[in-house]
Amino acid sequence: MTVADGAVLAQLMAQGASAGADLATLRAIAEEAGELAAARALARLGLDDAAAAKDMAELRDLLGALRDAKRSVWKATMGWVMRIGGALLLTGLAAKFGFWDWVI
């Protein structure tokens, strides 16, 4: 999008004001305004160049890898907690039933 696209919106607005806006003109105004706003937002974010699609794909891959890493850490942590809990339970049972000498 360029500055000339803003001129299209201005022309549509003038047409709507002078001739009375019909439904087609209002739709065209809304569409042009939306496209212009989206282009400005992408430009402000620095995503208005040809490499933007590649950058966004890389960011999505990075976020996916981060989610996978967090899930793996959670699973590993829970696995260790369960193992420690099982070991403590077995140690407690051994002490309760008189097998304490085997534990030490």
Side-chain angles (χ1 to χ4, degrees):
M1 287 255 164
T2 63
V3 176
D5 293 327
V8 173
L9 180 58
Q11 180 184 1
L12 286 169
M13 295 285 287
Q15 178 184 347
S18 67
D22 61 349
L23 185 58
T25 303
L26 291 174
R27 284 186 179 170
I29 289 172
E31 184 177 340
E32 286 295 323
E35 287 181 12
L36 185 60
R40 285 180 181 169
L42 288 173
R44 286 180 185 155
L45 292 172
L47 297 172
D48 59 341
D49 59 347
K54 182 182 174 218
D55 293 342
M56 291 304 294
E58 288 177 358
L59 283 173
R60 285 187 179 138
D61 289 343
L62 184 61
L63 283 173
L66 177 64
R67 288 184 187 117
D68 290 343
K70 287 189 333 187
R71 194 174 317 130
S72 295
V73 166
W74 179 250
K75 284 182 180 179
T77 302
M78 290 309 296
W80 277 103
V81 166
M82 295 301 290
R83 286 183 187 101
I84 291 171
L88 289 174
L89 177 68
L90 289 176
T91 303
L93 287 173
K96 181 173 180 153
F97 292 118
F99 296 109
W100 186 251
D101 293 332
W102 291 6
V103 173
I104 299 176

